[in-house]
Amino acid sequence: ETGVTQTPRHLVMGMTNKKSLKCEQHLGHNAMYWYKQSAKKPLELMFVYNFKEQTENNSVPSRFSPECPNSSHLFLHLHTLQPEDSALYLCASSPLMTSGGSSYNEQFFGPGTRLTVL
Amino acid sequence: DAKTTQPNSMESNEEEPVHLPCNHSTISGTDYIHWYRQLPSQGPEYVIHGLTSNVNNRMASLAIAEDRKSSTLILHRATLRDAAVYYCILRERNAGNMLTFGGGTRLMVKP
């Protein structure tokens, strides 16, 4: 399989459940990202991992807990979510997280996990 | 952060060129202009990016105004598969790969 894959594609959970979203990339990239896309808001960056180290946490509530065991896999652990957390959660990867300047590494996105919190 | 303004939606006819505008009047001298698009039920995909000069690739062309306060993404021949939300994004030079998405333009292509 190639590209960025996400499982599950759809998830329905109650507010007391614990679940995990999985992202896997087969592109040999070293940076991975979690984004949230709500119905009425623009795409929001949540977390960034560069070479398995978290480099960005965009003020995300602690009920979202990311894990990056290696450069190919990224997880988002969910617990005690709220209905307003219902959204499309997108994973992306890029060759590496550049420090700036003129170089840019394109981000490759997965198809997302549609999460519904009841 | 410098912001972008795009029309909420646009319509185009199949096999005709499409010009998608983006205003970014507060752009700084070192901000790059990126375009991504999101097809239905998919994650965003990179289209093109540039700094000052016009850029061409296999997907599209990017025309940047001389004062850099606006830019236009050009699809030379729209197909039904080009129906998507197109995002114009400014990336700060020192922001590395960090992207801040806005609302985008929903492009509808009529057969």
Side-chain angles (χ1 to χ4, degrees), chain B residues 37-105:
Chain B
R37 73 178 185 180
Q38 188 170 15
L39 303 173
S41 301
Q42 294 188 31
E45 63 176 352
Y46 169 83
V47 178
I48 201 166
H49 81 281
L51 182 62
T52 56
S53 304
N54 293 345
V55 185
N56 299 297
N57 66 20
R58 63 175 179 80
M59 289 181 70
S61 295
L62 175 60
I64 302 173
E66 196 169 333
D67 63 5
R68 299 206 332 122
K69 293 183 184 299
S70 65
S71 60
T72 302
L73 180 71
I74 303 166
L75 307 180
H76 295 287
R77 196 164 162 266
T79 70
L80 297 178
R81 292 186 71 251
D82 290 321
V85 178
Y86 287 79
Y87 298 98
C88 172
I89 304 162
L90 297 184
R91 178 179 67 91
E92 296 176 21
R93 179 184 176 91
N94 294 327
N97 267 25
M98 306 294 283
L99 300 174
T100 302
F101 286 78
T105 295

Side-chain angles (χ1 to χ4, degrees), chain A residues 9 33 35 37 42-43 45 56 90 94 96-107 109-111, chain B residues 32 34 36 38 41-46 49 87 91-103:
Chain A
R9 294 293 309 275
Y33 312 74
Y35 287 85
Q37 188 170 35
L43 204 63
L45 179 65
E56 189 79 17
L90 290 156
S94 66
L96 54 84
M97 176 69 177
T98 56
S99 58
S102 60
S103 62
Y104 174 71
N105 290 303
E106 172 188 345
Q107 292 184 34
F109 284 80
Chain B
Y32 286 80
H34 290 253
Y36 274 71
Q38 188 170 15
S41 301
Q42 294 188 31
E45 63 176 352
Y46 169 83
H49 81 281
Y87 298 98
R91 178 179 67 91
E92 296 176 21
R93 179 184 176 91
N94 294 327
N97 267 25
M98 306 294 283
L99 300 174
T100 302
F101 286 78

Side-chain angles (χ1 to χ4, degrees), chain A residues 52-101:
Chain A
K52 302 186 296 178
E53 298 296 320
Q54 189 179 127
T55 57
E56 189 79 17
N57 177 337
N58 211 15
S59 303
V60 180
S62 59
R63 57 186 183 271
F64 295 91
S65 175
E67 178 189 3
C68 188
N70 54 62
S71 294
S72 298
H73 295 85
L74 184 65
F75 295 89
L76 187 63
H77 304 299
L78 315 171
H79 62 98
T80 60
L81 294 193
Q82 306 297 312
E84 58 264 30
D85 296 322
S86 299
L88 180 69
Y89 288 85
L90 290 156
C91 173
S93 72
S94 66
L96 54 84
M97 176 69 177
T98 56
S99 58

